[in-house]
């Protein structure tokens, strides 16, 4: 199925470097208009491209039903991945799904080539060579955005049949791209492990935050309410939300946990809260445009990532931490992976050992006991996000290597 709407956007003050940009998302696990962190990432890059004056066409295998009002005029071409093969054995069904993903990506590439573009920007997925097809045919530059070591993730946590095909796909896409934007150094190292000749095009560009959409709460908290300690995210084991509940049970100060999000760990967390005698405010999942409201009224925000996340390691760039800081909230987070890039210990928040509920409780207690100090940390975090981590700044760093090339001229890959 192909869904098309008309695209226009208020003109930017200056002519954009790339008047027409095709954004490709061929991963069927990413609803571009969903509530996942990946969905937020797609939407914010599209917004920043439009802010630069580009007309953006969105080509995706999955759309979702949480279309933000400000993106309602974006051209969307939707080619879903054929979900057939339910009568097949599991391995055969997986193999068919992988081939169908590749076929859907090729159809998306065909639409881009028919529509025309001056730049193609693709979020890396396991079996898409769409960027390579478009760059070769239209002779335009391409940006490949890599957010995870998907091959190992798929093999470890799900099912992967054509691993050799997935590796070939990665090499093909990296070879065709002019820029390979990796969300962290571990992800960049992973790309270079598969594509050792690509060092001159690989950039490390951590996640960002929309500092216009998410801003500090200017309301005055009610004096008789307990301080709210906030967690936002999908409820999966690698977010460590259970550690936060254990910490709440060990706290010396009085505070209340608010959890915004949903996921497979939800029932277990509700049971844990009941066993511990905690009055937890479970809010459920919210659309990305509703996140600013969900952050309001919080005193402290928490990212309690656990120590053990499996074979793929702590490669992620913590989107939620950037959003907390943009909201002017002091952050208590585990000292793992890329988290210290976003949380400056003692300046914008506090870092604690992972999977350590006692240390987490003490850090939250410290901030709850000192509202003025906590507020100062939150504002310092906000300043850091505005100065260095807006999505516009992130996109600017990604596109910088292409700015010297005139529009319409291909960049040698």
């Amino acid at each position: 199925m192909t869904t098309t709407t008309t695209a226009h956007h208020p003109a930017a003050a200056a002519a954009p470097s790339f008047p027409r940009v095709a954004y490709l998302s061929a991963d069927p696990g990413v609803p571009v208009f969903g509530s996942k962190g990946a969905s937020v990432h797609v939407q914010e890059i599209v917004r920043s491209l439009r802010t630069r004056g580009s007309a953006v066409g969105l080509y995706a295998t999955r759309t979702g039903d949480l279309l933000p009002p400000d993106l309602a005029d974006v051209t969307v071409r939707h080619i879903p991945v054929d979900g057939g093969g339910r009568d097949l054995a599991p391995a055969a069904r997986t193999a068919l799904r992988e081939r169908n993903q590749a076929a859907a990506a090729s159809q998306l590439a065909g639409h881009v080539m028919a529509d025309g573009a001056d730049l193609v920007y693709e979020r890396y997925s396991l079996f898409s060579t769409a960027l390579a097809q478009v760059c070769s045919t239209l002779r335009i530059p391409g940006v490949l955005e890599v957010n995870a070591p998907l091959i190992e993730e798929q093999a470890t946590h799900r099912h992967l049949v054509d691993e050799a095909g997935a590796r070939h796909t990665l090499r093909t896409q990296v070879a065709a791209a002019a820029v390979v934007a990796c969300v962290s150094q571990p992800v960049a190292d992973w790309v270079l492990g598969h594509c050792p000749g690509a060092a001159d095009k690989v950039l490390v560009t951590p996640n960002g935050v929309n500092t216009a959409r998410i801003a500090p709460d200017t309301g005055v908290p009610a004096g008789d309410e307990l301080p709210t300690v906030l967690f936002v995210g999908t409820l999966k084991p690698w977010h460590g939300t259970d550690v936060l509940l254990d910490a709440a049970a060990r706290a010396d100060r009085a505070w209340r946990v608010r959890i915004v999000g949903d996921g497979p760990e939800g029932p277990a967390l509700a049971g844990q809260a009941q066993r511990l005698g905690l009055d937890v405010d479970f809010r459920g999942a919210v659309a990305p445009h509703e996140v600013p409201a969900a952050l309001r009224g919080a005193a402290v925000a928490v990212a309690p990532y656990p120590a053990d996340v499996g074979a793929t390691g702590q490669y992620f760039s913590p989107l939620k931490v950037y959003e907390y800081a943009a909201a002017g909230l002091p952050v208590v987070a585990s000292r793992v992976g890329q988290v210290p890039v976003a949380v400056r210990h003692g300046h914008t928040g506090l870092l604690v050992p992972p999977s350590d509920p006692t240390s987490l409780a003490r850090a939250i207690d410290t901030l709850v006991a000192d509202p003025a100090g906590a507020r100062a940390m939150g504002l310092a975090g906000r300043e850091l996000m505005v100065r260095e981590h807006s999505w516009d700044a992130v996109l600017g760093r990604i596109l910088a290597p292409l700015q010297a090339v005139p529009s319409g001229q291909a960049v040698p890959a």
Side-chain angles (χ1 to χ4, degrees):
M1 180 180 71
T2 300
T3 303
T4 305
T5 57
T6 303
H8 293 290
H9 186 260
S17 300
F18 303 103
R20 300 167 300 167
V21 178
Y23 188 112
L24 279 156
S25 176
D27 187 339
V30 177
V32 294
F33 298 133
S35 61
K36 290 184 170 183
S39 310
V40 172
H41 201 152
V42 172
Q43 293 167 29
E44 294 296 357
I45 290 294
V46 169
R47 284 191 180 96
S48 287
L49 286 165
R50 283 156 59 94
T51 297
R52 299 170 73 91
S54 298
V56 182
L58 187 52
Y59 303 78
T61 57
R62 187 175 172 192
T63 54
D65 55 4
L66 300 174
L67 175 62
D70 65 318
L71 298 183
D73 62 341
V74 170
T75 298
V76 179
R77 292 197 181 273
H78 176 209
I79 304 292
V81 174
D82 188 339
R86 290 182 175 80
D87 296 335
L88 299 174
R93 187 166 62 245
T94 299
L96 177 61
R97 186 191 65 213
E98 292 170 356
R99 293 194 296 273
N100 289 343
Q101 288 178 27
S106 290
Q107 290 185 62
L108 290 174
H111 280 296
V112 175
M113 290 183 280
D115 294 343
D118 302 295
L119 173 74
V120 58
Y121 187 113
E122 180 163 5
R123 183 184 176 88
Y124 164 64
S125 62
L126 279 170
F127 296 101
S128 170
T129 58
L131 178 145
Q133 296 175 54
V134 171
C135 290
S136 173
T137 300
L138 296 184
R139 293 190 57 74
I140 60 174
V143 174
L144 183 67
E145 178 193 285
V146 186
N147 294 281
L150 288 184
I151 298 172
E152 284 75 7
E153 267 201 354
Q154 189 76 2
T156 301
H157 300 295
R158 304 176 192 92
H159 303 285
L160 179 62
V161 172
D162 188 8
E163 184 168 339
R167 294 180 190 281
H168 177 73
T169 295
L170 175 63
R171 291 193 294 269
T172 299
Q173 292 280 77
V174 169
V179 172
V180 180
C182 299
V183 76
S184 68
Q185 188 61 51
V187 171
D189 293 342
W190 176 77
V191 170
L192 292 173
H194 288 282
C195 311
D200 62 337
K201 63 175 73 174
V202 171
L203 301 177
V204 175
T205 52
N207 275 331
V209 63
N210 187 328
T211 54
R213 186 171 61 88
I214 299 180
D217 181 8
T218 57
V220 178
D224 58 349
E225 292 184 0
L226 291 177
T228 295
V229 174
L230 173 75
F231 170 89
V232 178
T234 305
L235 304 183
K236 292 186 176 180
W238 51 83
H239 284 179
T241 320
D242 58 324
V243 180
L244 172 58
L245 297 188
D246 284 339
R250 302 179 190 201
D252 292 329
R253 310 282 302 192
W255 39 270
R256 189 185 187 206
V257 175
R258 178 194 300 168
I259 294 178
V260 179
D262 203 351
E265 295 294 302
L269 291 169
Q272 180 186 3
Q274 186 174 28
R275 289 194 303 277
L276 294 172
L278 300 173
D279 178 22
V280 176
D281 179 10
F282 287 100
R283 294 285 181 93
V286 301
H289 68 274
E290 296 172 326
V291 167
L295 298 174
R296 290 186 192 125
V300 177
V302 180
Y305 295 109
D308 181 12
V309 294
T312 51
Q314 304 276 12
Y315 64 80
F316 57 87
S317 181
L319 188 64
K320 68 164 63 58
V321 173
Y322 292 100
E323 293 185 337
Y324 293 160
L329 296 174
V331 180
V332 178
S334 301
R335 191 189 296 274
V336 298
Q338 319 310 304
V339 173
V341 173
V343 180
R344 308 283 171 85
H345 181 71
H347 181 59
T348 68
L350 298 174
L351 296 172
V352 299
S355 303
D356 183 344
T358 299
S359 293
L360 182 61
R362 297 291 85 78
I364 296 172
D365 282 346
T366 296
L367 295 179
V368 167
D370 180 14
R375 195 157 43 248
M377 282 189 177
L379 293 177
R382 166 74 185 180
E383 291 175 6
L384 177 64
M385 294 302 110
V386 171
R387 187 174 65 247
E388 299 183 14
H389 296 291
S390 72
W391 281 116
D392 292 342
V394 171
L395 183 63
R397 288 192 283 271
I398 292 172
L399 298 183
L402 307 177
Q403 297 307 306
V405 180
S407 177
Q409 180 175 325
V411 174

